[in-house]
Amino acid sequence: MNEEKRTKIKVPDAAIMIEGLRSIGYSFATAVADVIDNSIAAYAKEVRIFYDASSQENAFFAICDDGIGMSADELDRAMDFGTKKNRTFADKRDLGRFGLGLKTASLSQCTRFKVITKKFGMVFGDEWDFELVAKTGKWEMIQLSEKAIEDTPFIEYLKDKESGTMVVWENFDKIKSSSKNFSTTFNRLVQNDVKNHCALVFHRFYGTMPIYINNEKLPKRDPFLEEFDNCISRESVSIPLNDVKTSEPIRVKAYRMPAESDLSLEEQELIGGSATLRAEEGLYIYRNDRLIAWGSWMRMEHKTLYTHLARIKIDIPASMDKEWSLDVKKSMAIIPDRIKDKLLGPIRDGIAQSTSRTRYVGQREETKTIERVWIRTVLPDHQVKYELNDQNLVYSSLRESLNHEQKRMLEAYLSDVQKYIPASRMRDDVNDDLQVTNGVTKEDNGDLAIRKMVDLLISLNVTDKEKANELIILLVHQEQFHSLVDKVDLILKEFLHANGSK
């Protein structure tokens, strides 16, 4: 005999529920990105962000788009917590997942937000005020009056648009309570965090849906330098998903980024600075062209000295959201076990390319003979030895100028230099993302390097112009002076001037 189940309706406490949703884990930047997802879904041609943080009490942050807008009923549904969606995954611009993003993202940063939308010439507005909900304990949403809409900052954005939507945040309680200077913190969050985060996350939309902050367009980003030959890429690999109801496979492509020394200024700007080479290596996961997660190997590999130039681009279909454990914020994903083995090939390929470039950086100098300061010798049993090059012109010239006792002291000291190279400590420093300042610096390309060369020529008692020219040509092929290889005439001129010759 089956006993009939008894049920009871449980309505969650509105204030406690919203307080919990406010703590879901958004940063200011990820919250803004989640709201912009709705602009993409609305077929916006642009997104314009306006903000003013000069006054703590009247600060606002408005995310505006010229998308298709919403009717009164559509706005009402959009303001529900957990908007019901009929998801067929056919619309490539639909970045929604749970129907929570707009509300949770907004309330994670402020206690009051309003949505004003325009469609077919009609303007509607609704507002959630957490303080009101906490006071009444009810799921009470405010329907904005015509005057309240008219008083909204930058409402003029919608006036010359056929359609569009504005999401306006007000009363930033978390920033107020955590910052020493509200305006300074707010501006840093927008001009640093939001700008850099959204430029990268939406970099594929740069040409089709530009984003502006107070009328300044976000910088262009390209984490793979697609338009440059300086970045090596492999053929794209498709991973079919025969047991999933989708016609789209997962697409994977391995890249080997240029070394920091090979990056042009334009390339550095496109990837967001040369420091990102090490900080943001690893997997780059996209969903409907929106970057979801990046800068980590997600336990498929681990960072080493040799992996920092490897980046793996992965495009997943939206139909696999559940399998990839995509969270509400759309900022985290977990690779399904059945996919991991299929990703190993491209990952290992990218890392192998990175390892090759990192270990053998000198191979790019095929057409020039450079006399190295250090000689690297590979020994049996996975050992390697570094020794000072005793054929280096500067070293050999110095040695020849010394008497027997001085030579013996020099050799003893240099033997200790080679023996006590802090290889382990240097390796740890690089792993800890510390910049080792030894080596070639900007000054080596300028006047200081030329002065060093001239001083060396004088110390070698060179007086003859032809002899000086001959020696300069030899010296610029030494590693420490190789940056001056195209400045032989200038060095000779400086030497003659310093030496009082003509």
Side-chain angles (χ1 to χ4, degrees), residues 387-414:
E387 297 175 295
L388 285 166
N389 181 7
D390 60 9
Q391 300 301 310
N392 184 277
L393 181 60
V394 178
Y395 170 74
S396 59
S397 297
L398 171 63
R399 192 175 184 278
E400 289 303 317
S401 68
L402 303 176
N403 60 38
H404 177 75
E405 182 61 23
Q406 291 170 331
K407 288 179 183 178
R408 189 184 67 79
M409 293 174 62
L410 176 65
E411 296 297 342
Y413 176 72
L414 294 181

PDB file of all heavy atoms in Angstrom, residues 387-414:
ATOM      1  N   GLU A 387      79.658  27.229 -18.112  1.00  0.00           N
ATOM      2  CA  GLU A 387      81.010  27.716 -17.861  1.00  0.00           C
ATOM      3  C   GLU A 387      81.215  29.045 -18.556  1.00  0.00           C
ATOM      4  O   GLU A 387      80.654  29.290 -19.639  1.00  0.00           O
ATOM      5  CB  GLU A 387      82.043  26.716 -18.396  1.00  0.00           C
ATOM      6  CG  GLU A 387      82.010  25.359 -17.741  1.00  0.00           C
ATOM      7  CD  GLU A 387      82.973  24.402 -18.408  1.00  0.00           C
ATOM      8  OE1 GLU A 387      82.757  24.077 -19.598  1.00  0.00           O
ATOM      9  OE2 GLU A 387      83.945  23.995 -17.753  1.00  0.00           O
ATOM     10  N   LEU A 388      82.024  29.915 -17.947  1.00  0.00           N
ATOM     11  CA  LEU A 388      82.376  31.172 -18.600  1.00  0.00           C
ATOM     12  C   LEU A 388      83.202  30.883 -19.847  1.00  0.00           C
ATOM     13  O   LEU A 388      84.069  30.000 -19.849  1.00  0.00           O
ATOM     14  CB  LEU A 388      83.165  32.063 -17.647  1.00  0.00           C
ATOM     15  CG  LEU A 388      82.334  32.729 -16.549  1.00  0.00           C
ATOM     16  CD1 LEU A 388      83.236  33.303 -15.475  1.00  0.00           C
ATOM     17  CD2 LEU A 388      81.446  33.811 -17.134  1.00  0.00           C
ATOM     18  N   ASN A 389      82.899  31.605 -20.895  1.00  0.00           N
ATOM     19  CA  ASN A 389      83.584  31.407 -22.168  1.00  0.00           C
ATOM     20  C   ASN A 389      84.972  32.063 -22.115  1.00  0.00           C
ATOM     21  O   ASN A 389      85.101  33.286 -22.157  1.00  0.00           O
ATOM     22  CB  ASN A 389      82.743  32.016 -23.292  1.00  0.00           C
ATOM     23  CG  ASN A 389      83.369  31.839 -24.649  1.00  0.00           C
ATOM     24  OD1 ASN A 389      84.386  31.147 -24.790  1.00  0.00           O
ATOM     25  ND2 ASN A 389      82.774  32.460 -25.655  1.00  0.00           N
ATOM     26  N   ASP A 390      86.025  31.230 -22.054  1.00  0.00           N
ATOM     27  CA  ASP A 390      87.371  31.800 -21.956  1.00  0.00           C
ATOM     28  C   ASP A 390      87.883  32.332 -23.289  1.00  0.00           C
ATOM     29  O   ASP A 390      88.985  32.883 -23.365  1.00  0.00           O
ATOM     30  CB  ASP A 390      88.355  30.778 -21.370  1.00  0.00           C
ATOM     31  CG  ASP A 390      88.456  29.512 -22.209  1.00  0.00           C
ATOM     32  OD1 ASP A 390      87.895  29.478 -23.329  1.00  0.00           O
ATOM     33  OD2 ASP A 390      89.091  28.544 -21.736  1.00  0.00           O
ATOM     34  N   GLN A 391      87.051  32.156 -24.352  1.00  0.00           N
ATOM     35  CA  GLN A 391      87.420  32.728 -25.651  1.00  0.00           C
ATOM     36  C   GLN A 391      86.775  34.092 -25.882  1.00  0.00           C
ATOM     37  O   GLN A 391      86.985  34.713 -26.923  1.00  0.00           O
ATOM     38  CB  GLN A 391      87.001  31.764 -26.780  1.00  0.00           C
ATOM     39  CG  GLN A 391      87.656  30.395 -26.694  1.00  0.00           C
ATOM     40  CD  GLN A 391      89.175  30.494 -26.732  1.00  0.00           C
ATOM     41  OE1 GLN A 391      89.738  31.156 -27.600  1.00  0.00           O
ATOM     42  NE2 GLN A 391      89.829  29.832 -25.775  1.00  0.00           N
ATOM     43  N   ASN A 392      85.959  34.506 -24.948  1.00  0.00           N
ATOM     44  CA  ASN A 392      85.327  35.815 -25.064  1.00  0.00           C
ATOM     45  C   ASN A 392      86.408  36.889 -25.158  1.00  0.00           C
ATOM     46  O   ASN A 392      87.370  36.894 -24.380  1.00  0.00           O
ATOM     47  CB  ASN A 392      84.437  36.074 -23.847  1.00  0.00           C
ATOM     48  CG  ASN A 392      83.680  37.383 -23.948  1.00  0.00           C
ATOM     49  OD1 ASN A 392      84.225  38.433 -23.634  1.00  0.00           O
ATOM     50  ND2 ASN A 392      82.441  37.305 -24.379  1.00  0.00           N
ATOM     51  N   LEU A 393      86.273  37.800 -26.113  1.00  0.00           N
ATOM     52  CA  LEU A 393      87.318  38.762 -26.417  1.00  0.00           C
ATOM     53  C   LEU A 393      87.677  39.636 -25.221  1.00  0.00           C
ATOM     54  O   LEU A 393      88.860  39.889 -24.946  1.00  0.00           O
ATOM     55  CB  LEU A 393      86.892  39.640 -27.598  1.00  0.00           C
ATOM     56  CG  LEU A 393      87.889  40.699 -28.061  1.00  0.00           C
ATOM     57  CD1 LEU A 393      89.195  40.054 -28.501  1.00  0.00           C
ATOM     58  CD2 LEU A 393      87.291  41.522 -29.203  1.00  0.00           C
ATOM     59  N   VAL A 394      86.673  40.104 -24.487  1.00  0.00           N
ATOM     60  CA  VAL A 394      86.941  40.970 -23.344  1.00  0.00           C
ATOM     61  C   VAL A 394      87.704  40.199 -22.269  1.00  0.00           C
ATOM     62  O   VAL A 394      88.686  40.690 -21.699  1.00  0.00           O
ATOM     63  CB  VAL A 394      85.622  41.530 -22.771  1.00  0.00           C
ATOM     64  CG1 VAL A 394      85.897  42.385 -21.540  1.00  0.00           C
ATOM     65  CG2 VAL A 394      84.887  42.357 -23.830  1.00  0.00           C
ATOM     66  N   TYR A 395      87.259  38.976 -22.014  1.00  0.00           N
ATOM     67  CA  TYR A 395      87.929  38.152 -20.996  1.00  0.00           C
ATOM     68  C   TYR A 395      89.369  37.837 -21.397  1.00  0.00           C
ATOM     69  O   TYR A 395      90.304  37.982 -20.601  1.00  0.00           O
ATOM     70  CB  TYR A 395      87.145  36.862 -20.780  1.00  0.00           C
ATOM     71  CG  TYR A 395      87.872  35.843 -19.937  1.00  0.00           C
ATOM     72  CD1 TYR A 395      87.987  36.020 -18.566  1.00  0.00           C
ATOM     73  CD2 TYR A 395      88.468  34.730 -20.513  1.00  0.00           C
ATOM     74  CE1 TYR A 395      88.664  35.103 -17.779  1.00  0.00           C
ATOM     75  CE2 TYR A 395      89.158  33.808 -19.749  1.00  0.00           C
ATOM     76  CZ  TYR A 395      89.247  33.994 -18.371  1.00  0.00           C
ATOM     77  OH  TYR A 395      89.934  33.091 -17.603  1.00  0.00           O
ATOM     78  N   SER A 396      89.553  37.384 -22.639  1.00  0.00           N
ATOM     79  CA  SER A 396      90.898  37.009 -23.076  1.00  0.00           C
ATOM     80  C   SER A 396      91.840  38.212 -23.096  1.00  0.00           C
ATOM     81  O   SER A 396      93.027  38.105 -22.750  1.00  0.00           O
ATOM     82  CB  SER A 396      90.845  36.356 -24.462  1.00  0.00           C
ATOM     83  OG  SER A 396      90.275  37.226 -25.416  1.00  0.00           O
ATOM     84  N   SER A 397      91.309  39.397 -23.473  1.00  0.00           N
ATOM     85  CA  SER A 397      92.131  40.604 -23.476  1.00  0.00           C
ATOM     86  C   SER A 397      92.546  40.988 -22.059  1.00  0.00           C
ATOM     87  O   SER A 397      93.698  41.387 -21.805  1.00  0.00           O
ATOM     88  CB  SER A 397      91.378  41.766 -24.124  1.00  0.00           C
ATOM     89  OG  SER A 397      91.094  41.478 -25.480  1.00  0.00           O
ATOM     90  N   LEU A 398      91.585  40.879 -21.141  1.00  0.00           N
ATOM     91  CA  LEU A 398      91.899  41.175 -19.743  1.00  0.00           C
ATOM     92  C   LEU A 398      92.969  40.221 -19.211  1.00  0.00           C
ATOM     93  O   LEU A 398      93.933  40.630 -18.561  1.00  0.00           O
ATOM     94  CB  LEU A 398      90.628  41.065 -18.899  1.00  0.00           C
ATOM     95  CG  LEU A 398      90.820  41.125 -17.379  1.00  0.00           C
ATOM     96  CD1 LEU A 398      91.395  42.468 -16.957  1.00  0.00           C
ATOM     97  CD2 LEU A 398      89.496  40.852 -16.662  1.00  0.00           C
ATOM     98  N   ARG A 399      92.795  38.943 -19.497  1.00  0.00           N
ATOM     99  CA  ARG A 399      93.725  37.936 -18.984  1.00  0.00           C
ATOM    100  C   ARG A 399      95.153  38.180 -19.489  1.00  0.00           C
ATOM    101  O   ARG A 399      96.126  38.045 -18.744  1.00  0.00           O
ATOM    102  CB  ARG A 399      93.233  36.555 -19.407  1.00  0.00           C
ATOM    103  CG  ARG A 399      93.941  35.402 -18.710  1.00  0.00           C
ATOM    104  CD  ARG A 399      93.295  34.084 -19.099  1.00  0.00           C
ATOM    105  NE  ARG A 399      93.905  32.987 -18.364  1.00  0.00           N
ATOM    106  CZ  ARG A 399      95.044  32.393 -18.700  1.00  0.00           C
ATOM    107  NH1 ARG A 399      95.720  32.823 -19.771  1.00  0.00           N
ATOM    108  NH2 ARG A 399      95.532  31.400 -17.987  1.00  0.00           N
ATOM    109  N   GLU A 400      95.251  38.551 -20.757  1.00  0.00           N
ATOM    110  CA  GLU A 400      96.571  38.761 -21.347  1.00  0.00           C
ATOM    111  C   GLU A 400      97.283  39.980 -20.757  1.00  0.00           C
ATOM    112  O   GLU A 400      98.507  40.097 -20.822  1.00  0.00           O
ATOM    113  CB  GLU A 400      96.443  38.936 -22.861  1.00  0.00           C
ATOM    114  CG  GLU A 400      96.085  37.655 -23.601  1.00  0.00           C
ATOM    115  CD  GLU A 400      97.095  36.532 -23.349  1.00  0.00           C
ATOM    116  OE1 GLU A 400      98.320  36.823 -23.372  1.00  0.00           O
ATOM    117  OE2 GLU A 400      96.668  35.393 -23.072  1.00  0.00           O
ATOM    118  N   SER A 401      96.512  40.895 -20.173  1.00  0.00           N
ATOM    119  CA  SER A 401      97.125  42.107 -19.611  1.00  0.00           C
ATOM    120  C   SER A 401      97.649  41.895 -18.191  1.00  0.00           C
ATOM    121  O   SER A 401      98.278  42.790 -17.628  1.00  0.00           O
ATOM    122  CB  SER A 401      96.100  43.245 -19.598  1.00  0.00           C
ATOM    123  OG  SER A 401      95.062  42.978 -18.669  1.00  0.00           O
ATOM    124  N   LEU A 402      97.390  40.725 -17.623  1.00  0.00           N
ATOM    125  CA  LEU A 402      97.762  40.462 -16.235  1.00  0.00           C
ATOM    126  C   LEU A 402      99.081  39.702 -16.142  1.00  0.00           C
ATOM    127  O   LEU A 402      99.454  38.958 -17.061  1.00  0.00           O
ATOM    128  CB  LEU A 402      96.657  39.646 -15.549  1.00  0.00           C
ATOM    129  CG  LEU A 402      95.242  40.255 -15.549  1.00  0.00           C
ATOM    130  CD1 LEU A 402      94.267  39.288 -14.920  1.00  0.00           C
ATOM    131  CD2 LEU A 402      95.228  41.599 -14.838  1.00  0.00           C
ATOM    132  N   ASN A 403      99.762  39.858 -14.998  1.00  0.00           N
ATOM    133  CA  ASN A 403     100.953  39.051 -14.762  1.00  0.00           C
ATOM    134  C   ASN A 403     100.523  37.674 -14.232  1.00  0.00           C
ATOM    135  O   ASN A 403      99.335  37.427 -14.009  1.00  0.00           O
ATOM    136  CB  ASN A 403     101.919  39.754 -13.803  1.00  0.00           C
ATOM    137  CG  ASN A 403     101.277  40.032 -12.436  1.00  0.00           C
ATOM    138  OD1 ASN A 403     100.518  39.217 -11.915  1.00  0.00           O
ATOM    139  ND2 ASN A 403     101.600  41.191 -11.866  1.00  0.00           N
ATOM    140  N   HIS A 404     101.486  36.830 -13.975  1.00  0.00           N
ATOM    141  CA  HIS A 404     101.193  35.445 -13.604  1.00  0.00           C
ATOM    142  C   HIS A 404     100.366  35.356 -12.326  1.00  0.00           C
ATOM    143  O   HIS A 404      99.377  34.609 -12.260  1.00  0.00           O
ATOM    144  CB  HIS A 404     102.508  34.671 -13.431  1.00  0.00           C
ATOM    145  CG  HIS A 404     102.280  33.259 -12.971  1.00  0.00           C
ATOM    146  ND1 HIS A 404     101.816  32.269 -13.814  1.00  0.00           N
ATOM    147  CD2 HIS A 404     102.458  32.681 -11.745  1.00  0.00           C
ATOM    148  CE1 HIS A 404     101.707  31.143 -13.133  1.00  0.00           C
ATOM    149  NE2 HIS A 404     102.089  31.364 -11.882  1.00  0.00           N
ATOM    150  N   GLU A 405     100.740  36.116 -11.302  1.00  0.00           N
ATOM    151  CA  GLU A 405     100.020  36.056 -10.033  1.00  0.00           C
ATOM    152  C   GLU A 405      98.593  36.579 -10.169  1.00  0.00           C
ATOM    153  O   GLU A 405      97.641  36.027  -9.612  1.00  0.00           O
ATOM    154  CB  GLU A 405     100.773  36.870  -8.978  1.00  0.00           C
ATOM    155  CG  GLU A 405     100.148  36.858  -7.586  1.00  0.00           C
ATOM    156  CD  GLU A 405     100.063  35.454  -6.987  1.00  0.00           C
ATOM    157  OE1 GLU A 405     100.840  34.563  -7.400  1.00  0.00           O
ATOM    158  OE2 GLU A 405      99.215  35.244  -6.096  1.00  0.00           O
ATOM    159  N   GLN A 406      98.429  37.648 -10.948  1.00  0.00           N
ATOM    160  CA  GLN A 406      97.093  38.213 -11.165  1.00  0.00           C
ATOM    161  C   GLN A 406      96.197  37.249 -11.941  1.00  0.00           C
ATOM    162  O   GLN A 406      95.007  37.117 -11.650  1.00  0.00           O
ATOM    163  CB  GLN A 406      97.213  39.544 -11.898  1.00  0.00           C
ATOM    164  CG  GLN A 406      97.826  40.655 -11.054  1.00  0.00           C
ATOM    165  CD  GLN A 406      98.157  41.883 -11.882  1.00  0.00           C
ATOM    166  OE1 GLN A 406      98.451  41.787 -13.083  1.00  0.00           O
ATOM    167  NE2 GLN A 406      98.152  43.054 -11.230  1.00  0.00           N
ATOM    168  N   LYS A 407      96.791  36.579 -12.930  1.00  0.00           N
ATOM    169  CA  LYS A 407      96.026  35.584 -13.682  1.00  0.00           C
ATOM    170  C   LYS A 407      95.546  34.471 -12.764  1.00  0.00           C
ATOM    171  O   LYS A 407      94.405  34.009 -12.849  1.00  0.00           O
ATOM    172  CB  LYS A 407      96.889  34.991 -14.804  1.00  0.00           C
ATOM    173  CG  LYS A 407      97.153  35.910 -15.969  1.00  0.00           C
ATOM    174  CD  LYS A 407      98.026  35.229 -17.008  1.00  0.00           C
ATOM    175  CE  LYS A 407      98.358  36.174 -18.148  1.00  0.00           C
ATOM    176  NZ  LYS A 407      99.251  35.538 -19.146  1.00  0.00           N
ATOM    177  N   ARG A 408      96.439  34.022 -11.869  1.00  0.00           N
ATOM    178  CA  ARG A 408      96.082  32.933 -10.965  1.00  0.00           C
ATOM    179  C   ARG A 408      94.927  33.348 -10.054  1.00  0.00           C
ATOM    180  O   ARG A 408      93.975  32.581  -9.837  1.00  0.00           O
ATOM    181  CB  ARG A 408      97.303  32.551 -10.117  1.00  0.00           C
ATOM    182  CG  ARG A 408      97.109  31.280  -9.296  1.00  0.00           C
ATOM    183  CD  ARG A 408      98.313  31.034  -8.413  1.00  0.00           C
ATOM    184  NE  ARG A 408      98.425  32.063  -7.397  1.00  0.00           N
ATOM    185  CZ  ARG A 408      97.689  32.081  -6.272  1.00  0.00           C
ATOM    186  NH1 ARG A 408      96.788  31.146  -6.066  1.00  0.00           N
ATOM    187  NH2 ARG A 408      97.874  33.043  -5.401  1.00  0.00           N
ATOM    188  N   MET A 409      94.944  34.570  -9.546  1.00  0.00           N
ATOM    189  CA  MET A 409      93.874  35.067  -8.684  1.00  0.00           C
ATOM    190  C   MET A 409      92.553  35.204  -9.452  1.00  0.00           C
ATOM    191  O   MET A 409      91.481  34.855  -8.953  1.00  0.00           O
ATOM    192  CB  MET A 409      94.283  36.415  -8.081  1.00  0.00           C
ATOM    193  CG  MET A 409      95.443  36.325  -7.103  1.00  0.00           C
ATOM    194  SD  MET A 409      96.002  37.965  -6.537  1.00  0.00           S
ATOM    195  CE  MET A 409      94.530  38.563  -5.726  1.00  0.00           C
ATOM    196  N   LEU A 410      92.645  35.707 -10.687  1.00  0.00           N
ATOM    197  CA  LEU A 410      91.437  35.852 -11.512  1.00  0.00           C
ATOM    198  C   LEU A 410      90.794  34.486 -11.779  1.00  0.00           C
ATOM    199  O   LEU A 410      89.582  34.319 -11.649  1.00  0.00           O
ATOM    200  CB  LEU A 410      91.782  36.548 -12.832  1.00  0.00           C
ATOM    201  CG  LEU A 410      90.619  36.680 -13.826  1.00  0.00           C
ATOM    202  CD1 LEU A 410      89.525  37.579 -13.266  1.00  0.00           C
ATOM    203  CD2 LEU A 410      91.123  37.222 -15.166  1.00  0.00           C
ATOM    204  N   GLU A 411      91.627  33.492 -12.165  1.00  0.00           N
ATOM    205  CA  GLU A 411      91.101  32.159 -12.477  1.00  0.00           C
ATOM    206  C   GLU A 411      90.458  31.533 -11.243  1.00  0.00           C
ATOM    207  O   GLU A 411      89.426  30.865 -11.333  1.00  0.00           O
ATOM    208  CB  GLU A 411      92.230  31.262 -12.999  1.00  0.00           C
ATOM    209  CG  GLU A 411      92.842  31.714 -14.309  1.00  0.00           C
ATOM    210  CD  GLU A 411      91.840  31.712 -15.457  1.00  0.00           C
ATOM    211  OE1 GLU A 411      90.788  31.046 -15.337  1.00  0.00           O
ATOM    212  OE2 GLU A 411      92.112  32.386 -16.453  1.00  0.00           O
ATOM    213  N   ALA A 412      91.073  31.721 -10.060  1.00  0.00           N
ATOM    214  CA  ALA A 412      90.510  31.171  -8.830  1.00  0.00           C
ATOM    215  C   ALA A 412      89.146  31.791  -8.525  1.00  0.00           C
ATOM    216  O   ALA A 412      88.195  31.097  -8.140  1.00  0.00           O
ATOM    217  CB  ALA A 412      91.477  31.396  -7.662  1.00  0.00           C
ATOM    218  N   TYR A 413      89.048  33.114  -8.700  1.00  0.00           N
ATOM    219  CA  TYR A 413      87.774  33.789  -8.429  1.00  0.00           C
ATOM    220  C   TYR A 413      86.689  33.353  -9.406  1.00  0.00           C
ATOM    221  O   TYR A 413      85.560  33.038  -9.010  1.00  0.00           O
ATOM    222  CB  TYR A 413      87.963  35.303  -8.494  1.00  0.00           C
ATOM    223  CG  TYR A 413      86.665  36.056  -8.318  1.00  0.00           C
ATOM    224  CD1 TYR A 413      86.039  36.114  -7.081  1.00  0.00           C
ATOM    225  CD2 TYR A 413      86.066  36.687  -9.410  1.00  0.00           C
ATOM    226  CE1 TYR A 413      84.842  36.787  -6.920  1.00  0.00           C
ATOM    227  CE2 TYR A 413      84.866  37.356  -9.260  1.00  0.00           C
ATOM    228  CZ  TYR A 413      84.251  37.400  -8.014  1.00  0.00           C
ATOM    229  OH  TYR A 413      83.070  38.045  -7.856  1.00  0.00           O
ATOM    230  N   LEU A 414      87.017  33.316 -10.715  1.00  0.00           N
ATOM    231  CA  LEU A 414      86.012  32.934 -11.714  1.00  0.00           C
ATOM    232  C   LEU A 414      85.608  31.476 -11.562  1.00  0.00           C
ATOM    233  O   LEU A 414      84.469  31.109 -11.867  1.00  0.00           O
ATOM    234  CB  LEU A 414      86.550  33.198 -13.123  1.00  0.00           C
ATOM    235  CG  LEU A 414      86.771  34.675 -13.468  1.00  0.00           C
ATOM    236  CD1 LEU A 414      87.278  34.811 -14.905  1.00  0.00           C
ATOM    237  CD2 LEU A 414      85.495  35.479 -13.281  1.00  0.00           C
TER     238      LEU A 414
END
